[in-house]
Amino acid sequence: MSEPSDINARPAKRARLDEPSGDALPKAPIVSDTPANTNDHDLEREVRAGITEYVCPDNLGFTGVLKQRYTDFLVNEIGLDGEVLHLRKAGVEGKSEKKEGAVVVAKENANGNPKRKIEALEESGPVAKLKLEESVVQETTTGSGTGAVQENGAAPITEAENGTANNAPNGQEAVEPLKEEEAFEVPETDLADLHAIFGEETTKEIVALVRAIRRKEDRKAKDFRAVIAPPITDKDIRTRAHQSLRRIFPNLLESSMEADQSVRIKAVPPKERKGKNKKERGDRGNNRENGPDRRKGQLAWEELGGEYLHFTLYKENKDTMEVIGFLGSKLGGGKNPFSFAGTKDRRACTVQRVCVKRQTAERVNHLNKMLFSAAIGDYSYEKHDLGLGDLKGNEFVITLRDCHFQSEEGLDLEQRVKLANDIVSKAITDFSKEGFINYYGLQRFGSFAASTDTVGLKMLQNNLKGAVEDLLAYSETALAAAEGRSEDPSILISQDDRNRAKALHIWKTTGKGNAALDILPNKFKAERSIVQHLSSRNSKSGRYDRTSDWQGALQIIPRQLRLMYVHAYQSLVWNTVAGKRWSTYGSKVVEGDLVLVHEHKDKEATAEVATKDSIDQDGEVVINPAGDDSALAADDQFERARALTAEEAASGQYTIFDIVLPQPGFDVEYPKNDIGKFYEEFMGSERGGGLSPHNMRRPWREVSLSGGYRKFLARPLQALEYSVHSYVRPEEQFVETDLQKLRKEEGKEDAQKGEDVEMADGAANKIAVVIKLQLGSSQYATMALRELMKAGGVKAFKPEFMGGR
């Protein structure tokens, strides 16, 4: 994977800063930046996010530090079958680390060049499968490379000009330059065209790539390093770039646009190159392995079980997409072939199921050797991929360190442990029975000066300029650190945050987009997208007149990130209404409350009429359509809610756990009681932005919110478990991760046992509480902990970097 320094370049959490102020060109306001280091600040954030009520407010609370170590937060996915997912085996079933079977070097092409090793694998059935193992030869854009070592340990076999194989000393290719390559030159007019589009340096890289391809036409496309051209924001220029590459280098290069509008230029597959495989076109049946779908014919995906390879991913202190991106870069195809049921926390040890299309378990498993703080295993071939939401929930094993309890003053350790058991036991018993208010967690609203819901509100108010200004806000502390004039050495700021502040300050004060983008880190996608657009030239007018095109700047932000802002506003409204619902009616089901239609069809008065018959009037069995054959299948994709009548609310057939509250939108029902009126009251207030819940359509279609429904109360899928521990050393671990269990089973020494730890003197004087709970999908563990521990109980571990934006 990436180097550890890259992984930890930016802290997981930073201090929230005050509201932005200031004015300028496309504004990037400097914000007040006094870091908040107390729990009072977290309480203020909760109140601001509408998180105010408790189901059991009278229970005693306690405090504890959350995520002091990433092994203190274990997350295991729960499948749709209810089984908790664990990493059982980091390897391919039936394969040892040392590969078995006869390995021979085969001549793949008519010219006799050894390109791949074909390994005969032991398989059940009459026919042995053949597996293509990718060559380890890597080709750079300059044409130099290192060959793969032969089975006998001799020097690599490389291609010479005449097509014969030579043994190259010291692992270097002994390749004579091709006369054709020496004579290859790009016409001056074409060079000028490429310079105008890509610049001189990128053009040199493109030409070098073409020369490498022409010298090694038989090599696979992935053996050549792709060229990444700088972002091109003008659509017409991008079109011209793609057309020029195809015209100047026909059948040699292909290009595509990346998410940040940069252009990836790479070699085309061998069979598509000019003049390639002319001698072999009459014998396509013997060379299907050269095509992009070669594995399907050889491995017979249907016989394996399906073309989708499902596997378990274990990761530590990493984002899900970080690991997926690495796997995609090694397998080819990037992130697109992968799918999963949901992303998992970064600062945690997480286990989840991942799917990739048309890859073998052997090939994917080979990447285990390259993974850092991650592992994959438990492979299976399936006919279907994974989709977001294809899980029942998650199991959390949470360690809370340095816990303190109400009324513990003056007690010794033994008495404190007893008090801890009493308080936690009571809290967990009530929690398992009564549940908790299903609030959206604070992470939904961001932790910086301009919260995500504020940006979303301004988008809904059509104050697009204000939304852009909020997104370009930066911290004076970060800017001072970037300029070397920081006065408080206790506040450490990551290099990325320094560069961000410096870049946005340049944009704010000078309006020079290129100078800002040269410094602005790529991870700040929203900021980069905005600056790129506002500083770009209008392809229609030819002038740099986009400095006030606020909607265009927001539209250039990746869609998923852009929608996060307006969804955060919906979450704010939902949280506020949920608190009002609890303070008004509590756990009582009342007339006008909403329930989901598809969950309670059997309770409706017309249920008997709607029941499908199994026998018709002639005594014949009725076969009802299902799945894709059903005309009603499309309707089932949309959740519908209806209000309860007074009789239904009093019938006892519905509980508080059936009640849902809508996220504001134009396609939802609102409660037919005082809570429905509160939607209008809150959204129409200054805090709600002066909006109407009945007018959520906007001229900009993407911020026209249709709405949705969320359960008002939630409770764990199973009863909670807990344990109380006394300890001395702060690094002491109370639960094992899946990877540690796996290493123990394999007889490998636990990595932590080899760490140099500072041994603390004295007896145990601290208390830790370990809680295991299972929550449904889209429920926040931090909100469950809030109900258990009460106000200010959860102390998020503070990393040493505190500067923020």
Side-chain angles (χ1 to χ4, degrees):
M1 291 220 53
S2 56
E3 294 294 327
S5 58
D6 294 333
I7 296 171
N8 299 316
R10 186 185 180 199
K13 291 183 179 293
R14 292 170 293 168
R16 177 187 173 86
L17 307 176
D18 294 336
E19 294 297 327
S21 61
D23 56 331
L25 177 81
K27 282 189 180 178
I30 299 177
V31 297
S32 174
D33 51 75
T34 303
N37 297 320
T38 66
N39 282 348
D40 291 341
H41 178 69
D42 291 333
L43 291 175
E44 291 173 5
R45 291 184 61 205
E46 286 186 359
V47 172
R48 189 189 177 283
I51 304 169
T52 57
E53 303 295 330
Y54 295 92
V55 171
C56 298
D58 296 331
N59 284 350
L60 295 178
F62 62 99
T63 64
V65 179
L66 177 67
K67 295 185 178 182
Q68 181 171 328
R69 311 178 77 231
Y70 57 78
T71 51
D72 290 346
F73 203 80
L74 310 186
V75 186
N76 291 70
E77 205 167 74
I78 303 176
L80 294 174
D81 58 359
E83 291 294 321
V84 178
L85 183 67
H86 289 279
L87 180 65
R88 306 292 184 188
K89 181 177 178 60
V92 181
E93 192 68 29
K95 306 291 179 187
S96 62
E97 193 66 30
K98 183 177 180 181
K99 294 183 180 295
E100 299 178 355
V103 180
V104 295
V105 177
K107 294 184 177 181
E108 182 189 36
N109 298 317
N111 60 8
N113 294 325
K115 295 287 292 183
R116 296 184 178 93
K117 292 181 291 182
I118 299 181
E119 181 179 359
L121 301 177
E122 298 282 344
E123 298 286 351
S124 60
V127 182
K129 306 289 183 185
L130 292 181
K131 171 195 163 191
L132 282 176
E133 183 178 43
E134 306 296 345
S135 170
V136 297
V137 177
Q138 295 293 324
E139 182 76 29
T140 65
T141 54
T142 59
S144 63
T146 303
V149 178
Q150 300 179 61
E151 294 298 319
N152 59 6
I157 300 175
T158 57
E159 290 181 274
E161 179 185 2
N162 59 4
T164 61
N166 295 319
N167 285 342
N170 301 325
Q172 299 298 319
E173 291 184 307
V175 181
E176 298 179 12
L178 295 174
K179 295 180 180 179
E180 180 184 3
E181 180 207 349
E182 293 176 347
F184 170 70
E185 293 292 342
V186 180
E188 290 295 331
T189 55
D190 292 338
L191 273 179
D193 195 12
L194 293 175
H195 284 164
I197 299 172
F198 299 104
E200 186 174 349
E201 290 300 320
T202 303
T203 300
K204 288 180 181 179
E205 294 181 17
I206 295 172
V207 174
L209 173 61
V210 171
R211 286 178 176 165
I213 296 171
R214 291 170 67 92
R215 181 165 59 242
K216 299 287 184 178
E217 285 192 342
D218 293 336
R219 290 282 172 85
K220 293 179 291 185
K222 72 173 188 176
D223 290 340
F224 301 96
R225 187 182 304 156
V227 175
I228 307 297
I232 302 175
T233 57
D234 192 300
K235 183 178 180 181
D236 294 339
I237 297 179
R238 284 200 305 271
T239 302
R240 179 182 163 200
H242 297 310
Q243 293 173 344
S244 297
L245 290 172
R246 290 196 297 268
R247 175 180 59 82
I248 300 172
F249 309 111
N251 303 319
L252 288 175
L253 299 179
E254 60 184 13
S255 56
S256 60
M257 186 183 75
E258 299 293 285
D260 61 352
Q261 296 187 322
S262 60
V263 179
R264 176 181 289 271
I265 305 165
K266 60 182 181 179
V268 300
K271 74 173 187 178
E272 298 177 20
R273 295 177 196 154
K274 185 176 181 180
K276 178 75 175 73
N277 290 338
K278 286 183 178 179
K279 297 179 181 180
E280 301 163 352
R281 287 175 183 167
D283 190 20
R284 290 183 183 271
N286 294 330
N287 292 283
R288 285 193 299 171
E289 65 270 23
N290 291 329
D293 292 332
R294 61 183 182 274
R295 295 184 183 85
K296 180 176 180 180
Q298 290 181 330
L299 291 179
W301 299 110
E302 293 79 7
E303 295 180 15
L304 292 173
E307 62 181 355
Y308 294 98
L309 177 67
H310 291 222
F311 59 91
T312 299
L313 167 64
Y314 170 92
K315 63 179 183 64
E316 298 176 345
N317 205 27
K318 294 182 184 298
D319 291 319
T320 300
M321 292 309 300
E322 181 182 350
V323 183
I324 296 298
F326 173 78
L327 297 176
S329 69
K330 294 301 180 183
L331 295 174
K335 303 174 183 177
N336 291 337
F338 291 86
S339 60
F340 44 85
T343 58
K344 297 292 182 282
D345 299 72
R346 174 185 174 87
R347 190 170 177 80
C349 298
T350 69
V351 182
Q352 66 187 114
R353 204 67 173 157
V354 178
C355 165
V356 63
K357 187 175 183 180
R358 291 187 176 180
Q359 293 290 347
T360 64
E362 291 80 8
R363 188 174 186 223
V364 173
N365 187 68
H366 180 70
L367 300 179
N368 257 323
K369 300 176 182 178
M370 308 178 194
L371 290 174
F372 176 74
S373 297
I376 50 180
D378 302 333
Y379 304 94
S380 67
Y381 294 95
E382 308 290 345
K383 295 181 180 179
H384 303 287
D385 64 351
L386 290 172
L388 289 176
D390 285 348
L391 75 166
K392 188 174 182 180
N394 295 285
E395 181 180 86
F396 300 89
V397 180
I398 302 170
T399 300
L400 299 164
R401 296 180 181 270
D402 195 15
C403 294
H404 294 277
F405 303 83
Q406 288 181 273
S407 306
E408 70 171 9
E409 294 79 8
L411 301 182
D412 59 24
L413 180 64
E414 183 178 354
Q415 293 171 324
R416 288 178 61 210
V417 170
K418 182 180 184 304
L419 176 65
N421 278 286
D422 292 341
I423 291 178
V424 176
S425 176
K426 178 69 165 63
I428 281 180
T429 300
D430 290 345
F431 180 88
S432 299
K433 179 182 177 181
E434 305 295 339
F436 63 103
I437 301 175
N438 197 17
Y439 284 124
Y440 288 99
L442 290 178
Q443 54 266 52
R444 185 86 168 187
F445 305 96
S447 57
F448 307 117
S451 60
T452 52
D453 63 281
T454 301
V455 176
L457 173 59
K458 291 183 178 180
M459 292 171 67
L460 291 169
Q461 291 173 327
N462 203 33
N463 181 12
L464 304 185
K465 178 182 178 181
V468 169
E469 290 176 350
D470 282 354
L471 289 171
L472 296 184
Y474 58 91
S475 161
E476 175 60 29
T477 299
L479 179 62
E483 296 176 345
R485 51 183 177 83
S486 178
E487 298 179 356
D488 188 351
S490 65
I491 300 178
L492 303 180
I493 302 172
S494 71
Q495 189 60 47
D496 280 345
D497 284 330
R498 297 183 187 199
N499 290 340
R500 178 188 182 277
K502 185 176 181 180
L504 295 181
H505 181 69
I506 291 173
W507 169 246
K508 173 191 174 183
T509 55
T510 69
K512 295 180 179 179
N514 289 336
L517 291 172
D518 286 342
I519 302 173
L520 189 59
N522 288 329
K523 64 168 60 177
F524 299 110
K525 296 184 183 298
E527 294 90 329
R528 287 191 63 89
S529 299
I530 290 173
V531 174
Q532 283 173 0
H533 180 80
L534 295 180
S535 62
S536 65
R537 184 175 63 180
N538 191 326
S539 59
K540 295 182 179 179
S541 65
R543 297 191 298 270
Y544 292 90
D545 56 2
R546 290 176 169 169
T547 55
S548 59
D549 181 15
W550 313 118
Q551 182 169 331
L554 292 170
Q555 282 180 315
I556 213 72
I557 298 174
R559 184 174 185 273
Q560 187 174 4
L561 180 59
R562 187 168 65 244
L563 293 178
M564 180 186 71
Y565 304 126
V566 289
H567 290 165
Y569 173 77
Q570 288 180 305
S571 303
L572 171 67
V573 175
W574 194 97
N575 279 359
T576 305
V577 173
K580 179 67 173 179
R581 170 62 175 79
W582 182 259
S583 64
T584 303
Y585 299 117
S587 60
K588 183 181 179 182
V589 178
V590 299
E591 179 183 3
D593 278 341
L594 300 180
V595 296
L596 295 177
V597 172
H598 72 273
E599 289 185 354
H600 305 282
K601 289 183 177 179
D602 59 324
K603 300 173 185 176
E604 297 177 19
T606 57
E608 294 183 4
V609 178
T611 303
K612 297 178 181 177
D613 295 328
S614 58
I615 303 293
D616 65 12
Q617 65 272 19
D618 299 322
E620 298 292 334
V621 176
V622 175
I623 301 177
N624 292 302
D628 295 336
D629 296 326
S630 175
L632 300 176
D635 295 336
D636 293 337
Q637 297 177 8
F638 301 97
E639 285 189 331
R640 298 297 178 192
R642 67 177 184 86
L644 296 178
T645 64
E647 293 76 14
E648 289 175 320
S651 68
Q653 291 183 306
Y654 301 89
T655 71
I656 192 62
F657 296 101
D658 296 323
I659 304 305
V660 296
L661 291 174
Q663 298 168 319
F666 59 79
D667 195 24
V668 295
E669 293 286 336
Y670 291 96
K672 307 299 184 182
N673 50 32
D674 289 342
I675 302 305
K677 296 176 182 177
F678 183 73
Y679 273 93
E680 300 173 1
E681 178 184 335
F682 173 74
M683 292 179 63
S685 68
E686 182 180 356
R687 179 71 185 92
L691 304 182
S692 168
H694 307 292
N695 182 23
M696 298 302 292
R697 293 187 185 274
R698 297 292 183 274
W700 185 7
R701 184 175 179 180
E702 280 201 356
V703 297
S704 289
L705 301 177
S706 60
Y709 299 99
R710 181 175 176 86
K711 287 293 180 68
F712 170 45
L713 286 193
R715 55 184 168 187
L717 301 179
Q718 289 186 358
L720 275 66
E721 301 176 19
Y722 79 97
S723 58
V724 177
H725 305 266
S726 58
Y727 69 101
V728 180
R729 300 195 312 271
E731 74 281 352
E732 188 169 345
Q733 189 170 329
F734 307 103
V735 291
E736 287 184 318
T737 68
D738 278 15
L739 191 58
Q740 289 169 343
K741 293 176 182 177
L742 196 59
R743 286 173 176 169
K744 182 181 292 186
E745 292 175 1
E746 294 174 351
K748 296 181 180 179
E749 184 179 359
D750 192 333
Q752 289 202 349
K753 292 181 181 178
E755 292 181 359
D756 293 328
V757 296
E758 183 180 350
M759 298 300 296
D761 297 328
N765 59 359
K766 293 184 178 181
I767 292 179
V769 176
V770 179
I771 298 175
K772 178 190 286 190
L773 73 158
Q774 294 186 1
L775 298 177
S777 59
S778 79
Q779 295 173 7
Y780 287 80
T782 51
M783 293 297 98
L785 288 175
R786 174 184 175 272
E787 177 66 37
L788 285 169
M789 303 172 70
K790 299 301 179 280
V794 180
K795 297 180 180 178
F797 175 70
K798 297 178 176 61
E800 62 179 354
F801 292 99
M802 296 296 296
R805 290 188 182 179

